[in-house]
Amino acid sequence: MMLRLRVEKMVCGHCIKAIAKAMQTADSQAQVNVRLDDKIVEISSTKGEDEIITIIADAGYSAELINENFA
Ligand SMILES: [Cu+2]
């Protein structure tokens, strides 16, 4: 599934790496695309919405769902 999330606490390259690494550890096929300027994380993964939000939370970042299955 594809999710677009806002991660308010994501402020630098370290945050991006932590989030991307957590996703790719949970799902080696996960694609993670980040827009730091508006704190958007786009994820394509076999994991579901709740799982993805939990994976990011466990990495230390709370993520707010913006939309899913976007084009
Ligand atoms: Cu950071």
Side-chain angles (χ1 to χ4, degrees), residues 3-35:
L3 289 183
R4 181 178 286 129
L5 305 165
R6 178 169 289 114
V7 181
E8 281 298 331
K9 281 172 59 191
M10 180 177 71
V11 294
C12 73
H14 170 82
C15 303
I16 294 170
K17 271 189 200 159
I19 291 166
K21 187 180 174 198
M23 267 318 300
Q24 282 161 355
T25 299
D27 171 11
S28 62
Q29 302 299 308
Q31 301 285 321
V32 180
N33 193 47
V34 173
R35 301 200 319 246

Side-chain angles (χ1 to χ4, degrees), residues 3 5 9-10 17-18 21-22 25 27 29 36 39 47 49 51-52 57-58 60 67-68 70-71:
L3 289 183
L5 305 165
K9 281 172 59 191
M10 180 177 71
K17 271 189 200 159
K21 187 180 174 198
T25 299
D27 171 11
Q29 302 299 308
L36 191 57
K39 304 190 175 176
K47 301 287 183 185
E49 173 185 327
E51 275 178 296
I52 291 170
D58 288 348
N67 53 32
E68 58 182 272
F70 55 88

